[in-house]
Amino acid sequence: MSTREILAVLSEAHAAIAAGDAGRALAHTAPDDVVYDLAPPLVQRTGTTELAAWIASFAAPPVLAHHDPVVHADGDVAFVHALTSMTGDKGGEFTLWFRSTIGLRRIGGRWLVVHRHESVPFHMDGSFRAAVELAPVV
């Protein structure tokens, strides 16, 4: 079943990040992936070196989790959207919620991430401050 396989790819990447293993986290990422990440610049490609440095910037590797992911798959193309939480410690513990959309293609029989887009809403009051205090209502 494609849905189970796709979600397993995303879960494995999160488990690898929590273990501090950047290479393992990128094992299901296409070499020409495009990333619209939370951090600047506007468009980036995340390699093992960059991801390892990001993981190392935390007191301990961060823990990420997709909540209620929705998978849309047709043939060899799929996308997933979810609210994602990231818990970590960068001079203080925090949990940040953000929106994620991940595009995947089945290449050579494997689902690979070809695009990732993450965003945090911002306040529309003219301050343009990121709304990092938001969390889903449960």
Side-chain angles (χ1 to χ4, degrees):
M1 171 98 194
S2 293
T3 298
R4 186 171 42 242
E5 294 169 5
I6 291 164
L7 292 176
V9 166
L10 303 181
S11 293
E12 169 59 16
H14 286 174
I17 289 171
D21 189 339
R24 184 176 137 211
L26 294 175
H28 291 283
T29 300
D32 59 348
D33 72 320
V34 175
V35 178
Y36 297 161
D37 218 344
L38 294 174
L42 288 173
V43 180
Q44 56 188 286
R45 293 217 158 92
T46 303
T48 305
T49 302
E50 295 84 4
L51 184 57
W54 178 76
I55 292 169
S57 73
F58 290 82
V63 175
L64 291 105
H66 290 307
H67 299 269
D68 301 321
V70 176
V71 177
H72 299 275
D74 188 10
D76 291 333
V77 177
F79 73 91
V80 180
H81 59 85
L83 292 179
T84 304
S85 64
M86 175 173 52
T87 301
D89 185 341
K90 281 194 170 217
E93 292 183 15
F94 69 90
T95 297
L96 172 68
W97 285 88
F98 54 95
R99 304 171 292 200
S100 298
T101 303
I102 301 99
L104 301 98
R105 285 187 53 219
R106 189 170 21 216
I107 301 170
R110 296 178 55 219
W111 285 104
L112 298 177
V113 174
V114 295
H115 178 73
R116 190 175 73 242
H117 185 145
E118 299 167 340
S119 67
V120 174
F122 67 91
H123 292 284
M124 303 293 284
D125 59 4
S127 70
F128 303 110
R129 290 177 305 114
V132 296
E133 73 282 0
L134 296 178
V137 178
V138 288

